[in-house]
Structures are given as C-alpha cells and as structure tokens.
Amino acid sequence: MIPRRRALHRLAFLGLLIAAPLLARPASAQERAITLASTTSTEQSGLFGHLLPIFQRETGITVRVVAVGTGQALAIGAKGDADALLVHDRPGEDKFVADGTGIDRRDVMANDFVIVGPAADPAGIKDGRDATEALARIARAKAPFASRGDDSGTNRTELRLWKKAGIEARGLGSSYRELGQGMGPTLNAAAAMDAYTLTDRATWASFKNRQNLVILVQGDPALFNPYGSILVNPARFPQIHAADARIWHEWLTSERGRAAIASFKVGGEQLFFPAGTMPSQ
C-alpha cells in the first residue's frame, strides 16, 4: 500500500507541475465586439463583407451586424439592443437623436435609388428622370408594383414619393403588392411578377436574378440616398459598448473609413460614395 500511496502522490505532484504554468497565465482578454443595427441594402450589397474585415484588422473590434429595415434598426436602437446604427432615413434619424435615444449623427456615404421594371415597360416610364411622374404613370397603367412594405429606408422613401405624386399607394388595389421583405427578396418577387419596384443601386448591382428587369428611371434628386451613422446614447443605456462603438463611428467617418467605402466595387462600379463625394446625377 505504501508504494502505491507514493505513486499517487508522485502523480499528483506531476499534475501540479504541469498545471502551474497554465494557472499562472493571465486570463485572455475578452473579445471586443459591438452590435450594429443596419440595413439589408448594406448587407446584401456586400459592403459589410468588404468593410468589416478592414476595420477589425485595424482595431481588433468585431462588428456584429443586425441587418433589417431602417425602421426596425431604429427600433432596436431605441431599446438599447445595439451600440450603433448605420441607416438611411434622415427624418427617422433626426427624430431618433431628438428623442435622446441617439447621439452624434454623422453623414457617412450616399448612393441613389432607381426604379426598375420589366423591359416591355407597360407604364411607359423608360429614360425618365422624374420619379413621381413615373409612379403616376405606373398607377394609371395599373401595372404591378412590388413594395418592400417593411418600414425600411427604401420603403419610407417610396411612400414619400407616392405621396408627392398625390397617390395613396395602398388604394391601388391588387396591382400594389406589399411584401414585408428585404430588398433582395423584393427584387426576386418583382422579377417573377414582371413588376416595377424601387431599389437602391448597390443591391441592384449585386442582384443576379434580373430576368426581364431593367433600370427605367434614375437621376432624380428625389432619389438621392444618404446614410448616417448614429451612436446609441450611453447615458440612457449604460450597458452598451459605448467606447468601442465610438471607435467604429470615428473610423467610419475618418479618411481610412472613407477610403474603404470608396474602394468597394461590384463589376468595377463604385456603389457607395463617402459623404460629399457623390457625382451629380
């Protein structure tokens, strides 16, 4: 029994020797990460797949994106369930800040919306530069129109354009289809239905299932599509990762961030322009 006891003691001692260096090591630093509530257009266009690895390499911070419509992104921020927002509905953004939920809204980048539809163009809007007139013609022709219907920035812009045209979109009957979907699924539905729709140019450039859809209206100043970065207010939500969110916010509007945005291209086409650099239509 004694030899066996000695063997057990020896094994225990050896185990301590092996474990000691591990116990002496400092705990590894916790992963630095923030939650960004943003839009389906920035996600589905591929912009985040380009930007976020650059940001993470430079800062060590992971950005976890919740890609939803702008209305939903603002709602997520209003609950303190995100650290920062990148969205595209200026009236909604201004209200978010005025309510004290967000702080330090900044212009980040812009692109534009376009109206796409079937090449046969039953509403006769091809080569137009007046978005409201185009919608009026679509309504008169009773041509199908696919709306995102999801309170996104794109959907909010679309509804403002219908209102400007003096048309109640939901009164158009069966020709007006509210899908409650993101931009990609809405384009798929429009392609399947030979319907018109409003889309951001970046998602359109990345969209592969175009079938008969083509760009028909572009260049109207009313189709300008600016994006803003907003920090969720840490005074209201002390649990958020305010310091790292601030690093993201500053980087996004810095020369490094602006260069990263400008370098994102699909098929050689630049799809987002840092604030103040978008060429006139």
Side-chain angles (χ1 to χ4, degrees):
M1 292 300 296
I2 291 175
R4 187 179 173 201
R5 245 181 233 168
R6 285 179 181 166
L8 288 173
H9 287 163
R10 191 176 292 111
L11 286 172
F13 179 69
L14 288 171
L16 285 171
L17 287 177
I18 293 168
L22 297 175
L23 294 171
R25 289 177 192 168
S28 60
Q30 188 175 6
E31 180 192 14
R32 296 172 66 189
I34 64 169
T35 298
L36 176 70
S38 192
T39 70
T40 60
S41 57
T42 44
E43 176 75 16
Q44 293 173 359
S45 65
L47 176 67
F48 282 142
H50 172 74
L51 280 187
L52 300 188
I54 298 173
F55 175 72
Q56 186 171 15
R57 281 197 304 271
E58 294 186 7
T59 66
I61 300 169
T62 299
V63 179
R64 297 169 180 152
V65 178
V66 181
V68 290
T70 285
Q72 288 176 272
L74 292 166
I76 289 169
K79 295 176 182 176
D81 290 334
D83 305 304
L85 280 66
L86 181 60
V87 289
H88 63 143
D89 177 57
R90 188 57 188 267
E93 295 166 39
D94 289 343
K95 184 178 185 301
F96 187 80
V97 173
D99 289 345
T101 314
I103 58 172
D104 195 18
R105 186 230 172 252
R106 298 185 185 183
D107 291 328
V108 173
M109 61 189 183
N111 61 10
D112 63 340
F113 293 110
V114 294
I115 297 176
V116 301
D121 189 21
I125 66 171
K126 185 178 179 182
D127 297 328
R129 295 178 66 87
D130 186 330
T132 54
E133 173 60 23
L135 292 181
R137 291 189 180 193
I138 291 168
R140 286 196 297 270
K142 297 182 179 178
F145 187 96
S147 170
R148 284 182 58 166
D150 63 349
D151 195 32
S152 60
T154 304
N155 185 219
R156 291 181 177 193
T157 297
E158 177 222 314
L159 293 176
R160 283 194 289 267
L161 290 171
W162 284 114
K163 185 176 181 180
K164 186 178 175 184
I167 297 166
E168 173 51 54
R170 294 184 175 97
L172 294 173
S174 61
S175 63
Y176 185 73
R177 317 284 180 83
E178 289 187 282
L179 303 175
Q181 299 285 338
M183 197 68 256
T186 298
L187 282 167
N188 277 320
M193 296 187 294
D194 267 351
Y196 295 92
T197 195
L198 180 76
T199 178
D200 65 285
R201 192 183 293 272
T203 306
W204 171 254
S206 304
F207 181 59
K208 305 303 181 188
N209 182 34
R210 296 182 180 182
Q211 298 187 46
N212 296 321
L213 296 183
V214 295
I215 293 177
L216 296 170
V217 176
Q218 58 186 323
D220 185 338
L223 296 175
F224 179 64
N225 181 30
Y227 289 77
S229 176
I230 311 174
L231 292 171
V232 175
N233 189 352
R236 182 166 292 185
F237 303 105
Q239 79 279 8
I240 67 170
H241 301 93
D244 285 344
R246 169 66 69 178
I247 291 171
W248 159 255
H249 188 62
E250 297 285 352
W251 182 87
L252 199 58
T253 53
S254 71
E255 286 308 310
R256 286 289 303 124
R258 288 166 61 85
I261 290 166
S263 67
F264 174 62
K265 298 180 180 181
V266 173
E269 179 183 6
Q270 183 175 339
L271 298 180
F272 293 92
F273 295 84
T277 67
M278 185 169 171
S280 58
Q281 298 293 304

